[in-house]
Amino acid sequence: MLPALLSLPGKLSTLLARLTADRATKLDNLAYLDASIATRSTLTAAQASAQVWAETSRSLTTGTGRGVFLTSGTAWTVPVGVSHITVTVCGGGGGGGGGYATNTTSYTGGGGGGAAGVLHEQPLIVTPGASLAYTIGAAGLGGAIATAGTAGGSSTIGQYPLQYIAGGGGGGAAGAYNSTPGGSSGSVNSALIGWTGETGDNGGSVSGVYGGSGKSTAYGAGGAGGGTLAIAGTAATGWGASGGGGGRQAAGANGAPGFILIEY
């Protein structure tokens, strides 16, 4: 019994040291999150876009300020010594719908696809050496004549209990009587800086024969709708933007894929 009692103060000291270190780590994490929120909460979409492209074009190979731009794959290994990262997440844009099959008065071109949701530089606490799962949202496909476009995929990244999701834009509807709905907007799941996508323009909103326009994101340009009979929609460019709907008797166009930018 006596040796056990004599060893107790040493064990208590060790436990106290561990608790103190754990508290310091938690306070450091909270300070990091507070600072991240404060510096990003006032950015506009245009400012965020300029910041992201400036960061991806610089040298990201050594020291603080490293990063990786992901357009494929499913997992990223957190480097040794890295416990805090920020992530910019963009879903895939929706495809434009195909126009009505025949040149019939009062029937329209296809609806434009919806743009993806975007989350800008969200803070994330990670474990060094861990495998961090992610998903890159695929581009929605333009619909053939008389066929709806498909939705873009959601881009996701995170680990329990926090996962960031930038939803893909919806596909534009196929040409129909009078007016054809554009694709739905991509959603976001964070209260920090981010933007839901814009809903695609309706087919026939300008003229019955026209396809609806796709919509842009901070990182890509939406495609134009088919401007007259038998003119296809234009594909989106960049990232997360949506494709234009086809004019009457024409196909819709593809949206643009998503991406994830990790910085640390």
Side-chain angles (χ1 to χ4, degrees), residues 1 3 14 21-22 50 76 84 90 118 125 140 144 147-148 150 173 191 193 201-202 212 214 244 247 254-255:
M1 177 66 72
T14 300
D22 183 60
W76 177 70
H84 301 152
C90 177
V118 174
I125 297 167
T147 304
T150 64
I193 188 167
D201 284 346
N202 291 349
N254 295 343

Short mmCIF file of all heavy atoms in Angstrom, two decimals, residues 1 3 14 21-22 50 76 84 90 118 125 140 144 147-148 150 173 191 193 201-202 212 214 244 247 254-255:
data_model
loop_
_atom_site.label_atom_id
_atom_site.label_comp_id
_atom_site.label_asym_id
_atom_site.label_seq_id
_atom_site.Cartn_x
_atom_site.Cartn_y
_atom_site.Cartn_z
N MET A 1 0.82 -1.21 0.00
CA MET A 1 0.00 0.00 0.00
C MET A 1 0.86 1.26 0.00
O MET A 1 0.59 2.21 -0.73
CB MET A 1 -0.93 -0.02 1.22
CG MET A 1 -1.80 1.25 1.35
SD MET A 1 -3.00 1.43 0.00
CE MET A 1 -4.12 0.11 0.47
N PRO A 3 4.04 1.96 -1.13
CA PRO A 3 4.61 2.35 -2.44
C PRO A 3 3.57 2.96 -3.37
O PRO A 3 3.84 3.90 -4.10
CB PRO A 3 5.16 1.03 -3.00
CG PRO A 3 5.43 0.20 -1.79
CD PRO A 3 4.35 0.54 -0.81
N THR A 14 1.36 14.08 -13.53
CA THR A 14 1.30 13.70 -14.94
C THR A 14 -0.08 13.96 -15.52
O THR A 14 -0.23 14.49 -16.63
CB THR A 14 1.64 12.20 -15.11
OG1 THR A 14 2.96 11.98 -14.61
CG2 THR A 14 1.57 11.79 -16.57
N ALA A 21 -2.26 20.53 -21.09
CA ALA A 21 -1.92 20.52 -22.51
C ALA A 21 -3.16 20.38 -23.38
O ALA A 21 -3.30 21.03 -24.42
CB ALA A 21 -0.94 19.38 -22.81
N ASP A 22 -4.10 19.51 -22.94
CA ASP A 22 -5.33 19.32 -23.70
C ASP A 22 -6.15 20.60 -23.72
O ASP A 22 -6.70 20.98 -24.76
CB ASP A 22 -6.15 18.19 -23.06
CG ASP A 22 -7.42 17.89 -23.85
OD1 ASP A 22 -7.28 17.52 -25.02
OD2 ASP A 22 -8.51 18.02 -23.29
N ALA A 50 -11.36 36.20 -56.25
CA ALA A 50 -10.03 36.73 -56.53
C ALA A 50 -9.00 36.16 -55.55
O ALA A 50 -7.87 35.84 -55.91
CB ALA A 50 -10.05 38.25 -56.46
N TRP A 76 -7.60 12.53 -48.82
CA TRP A 76 -6.36 13.30 -48.72
C TRP A 76 -5.74 13.02 -47.37
O TRP A 76 -6.42 13.05 -46.34
CB TRP A 76 -6.66 14.80 -48.86
CG TRP A 76 -5.48 15.71 -48.71
CD1 TRP A 76 -4.45 15.87 -49.57
CD2 TRP A 76 -5.24 16.61 -47.63
NE1 TRP A 76 -3.58 16.82 -49.10
CE2 TRP A 76 -4.03 17.30 -47.91
CE3 TRP A 76 -5.92 16.92 -46.45
CZ2 TRP A 76 -3.50 18.25 -47.04
CZ3 TRP A 76 -5.40 17.87 -45.59
CH2 TRP A 76 -4.19 18.52 -45.89
N HIS A 84 -4.72 22.34 -38.46
CA HIS A 84 -5.73 23.31 -38.90
C HIS A 84 -5.63 23.46 -40.41
O HIS A 84 -4.54 23.65 -40.95
CB HIS A 84 -5.50 24.69 -38.27
CG HIS A 84 -5.51 24.69 -36.79
ND1 HIS A 84 -4.81 25.60 -36.03
CD2 HIS A 84 -6.15 23.89 -35.90
CE1 HIS A 84 -5.02 25.38 -34.76
NE2 HIS A 84 -5.83 24.34 -34.65
N CYS A 90 -16.77 23.72 -53.84
CA CYS A 90 -17.69 24.12 -54.91
C CYS A 90 -18.32 22.86 -55.50
O CYS A 90 -17.61 21.92 -55.86
CB CYS A 90 -16.94 24.90 -55.98
SG CYS A 90 -17.93 25.37 -57.42
N VAL A 118 -21.42 27.26 -53.15
CA VAL A 118 -19.99 27.49 -52.93
C VAL A 118 -19.75 27.87 -51.46
O VAL A 118 -20.45 28.71 -50.90
CB VAL A 118 -19.46 28.64 -53.83
CG1 VAL A 118 -18.02 28.97 -53.48
CG2 VAL A 118 -19.58 28.27 -55.30
N ILE A 125 -10.63 21.64 -38.24
CA ILE A 125 -9.59 21.06 -37.38
C ILE A 125 -9.42 19.59 -37.75
O ILE A 125 -10.40 18.85 -37.85
CB ILE A 125 -9.98 21.20 -35.90
CG1 ILE A 125 -10.06 22.68 -35.53
CG2 ILE A 125 -8.97 20.49 -34.99
CD1 ILE A 125 -10.73 22.95 -34.20
N GLY A 140 -23.23 18.32 -64.13
CA GLY A 140 -24.48 17.82 -64.68
C GLY A 140 -24.41 17.77 -66.20
O GLY A 140 -23.73 18.58 -66.83
N ALA A 144 -30.62 15.63 -73.98
CA ALA A 144 -30.90 15.53 -75.41
C ALA A 144 -32.24 16.22 -75.70
O ALA A 144 -32.94 16.67 -74.78
CB ALA A 144 -30.96 14.07 -75.83
N THR A 147 -35.41 16.07 -73.39
CA THR A 147 -34.93 15.36 -72.20
C THR A 147 -34.35 16.38 -71.20
O THR A 147 -33.63 17.29 -71.59
CB THR A 147 -33.83 14.35 -72.56
OG1 THR A 147 -34.33 13.46 -73.55
CG2 THR A 147 -33.38 13.56 -71.34
N ALA A 148 -34.66 16.21 -69.93
CA ALA A 148 -34.16 17.11 -68.90
C ALA A 148 -32.65 16.94 -68.72
O ALA A 148 -32.09 15.86 -68.95
CB ALA A 148 -34.86 16.85 -67.58
N THR A 150 -29.28 16.72 -66.27
CA THR A 150 -29.08 16.07 -64.97
C THR A 150 -28.45 17.06 -63.98
O THR A 150 -27.80 18.03 -64.35
CB THR A 150 -28.17 14.84 -65.10
OG1 THR A 150 -26.86 15.24 -65.51
CG2 THR A 150 -28.74 13.85 -66.11
N ALA A 173 -35.28 21.57 -66.87
CA ALA A 173 -36.35 20.70 -67.39
C ALA A 173 -36.37 20.70 -68.92
O ALA A 173 -35.87 21.62 -69.57
CB ALA A 173 -37.70 21.16 -66.85
N ALA A 191 -22.91 28.27 -41.91
CA ALA A 191 -23.31 29.65 -41.61
C ALA A 191 -22.18 30.64 -41.90
O ALA A 191 -22.40 31.84 -41.90
CB ALA A 191 -23.72 29.76 -40.15
N ILE A 193 -19.00 32.08 -44.48
CA ILE A 193 -19.15 32.67 -45.80
C ILE A 193 -19.35 31.61 -46.89
O ILE A 193 -18.60 30.64 -47.00
CB ILE A 193 -17.94 33.58 -46.12
CG1 ILE A 193 -18.19 34.35 -47.41
CG2 ILE A 193 -16.65 32.81 -46.16
CD1 ILE A 193 -17.20 35.48 -47.61
N ASP A 201 -32.39 29.96 -65.65
CA ASP A 201 -33.51 30.65 -66.29
C ASP A 201 -34.48 29.66 -66.92
O ASP A 201 -34.08 28.60 -67.42
CB ASP A 201 -32.99 31.59 -67.39
CG ASP A 201 -32.37 32.86 -66.84
OD1 ASP A 201 -32.57 33.15 -65.64
OD2 ASP A 201 -31.68 33.55 -67.61
N ASN A 202 -35.74 30.03 -66.91
CA ASN A 202 -36.75 29.19 -67.54
C ASN A 202 -36.57 29.16 -69.06
O ASN A 202 -36.21 30.18 -69.67
CB ASN A 202 -38.15 29.71 -67.24
CG ASN A 202 -38.54 29.54 -65.79
OD1 ASN A 202 -37.86 28.87 -65.03
ND2 ASN A 202 -39.64 30.17 -65.40
N GLY A 212 -33.35 28.41 -71.76
CA GLY A 212 -32.98 29.24 -70.62
C GLY A 212 -31.47 29.28 -70.42
O GLY A 212 -30.76 28.30 -70.70
N GLY A 214 -27.88 29.25 -68.43
CA GLY A 214 -27.27 28.73 -67.23
C GLY A 214 -26.77 29.88 -66.36
O GLY A 214 -26.77 31.04 -66.78
N GLY A 244 -26.49 25.92 -70.48
CA GLY A 244 -27.68 26.52 -71.05
C GLY A 244 -28.64 25.49 -71.61
O GLY A 244 -28.24 24.41 -72.05
N GLY A 247 -32.46 25.42 -77.45
CA GLY A 247 -33.64 25.99 -78.08
C GLY A 247 -34.59 24.89 -78.51
O GLY A 247 -34.28 23.70 -78.44
N ASN A 254 -23.78 20.89 -71.05
CA ASN A 254 -23.25 20.43 -69.77
C ASN A 254 -22.91 21.58 -68.82
O ASN A 254 -22.52 22.67 -69.24
CB ASN A 254 -21.97 19.62 -70.00
CG ASN A 254 -22.21 18.34 -70.76
OD1 ASN A 254 -23.35 17.87 -70.87
ND2 ASN A 254 -21.15 17.76 -71.28
N GLY A 255 -23.05 21.30 -67.53
CA GLY A 255 -22.56 22.20 -66.51
C GLY A 255 -21.06 22.00 -66.30
O GLY A 255 -20.41 21.21 -66.99
#
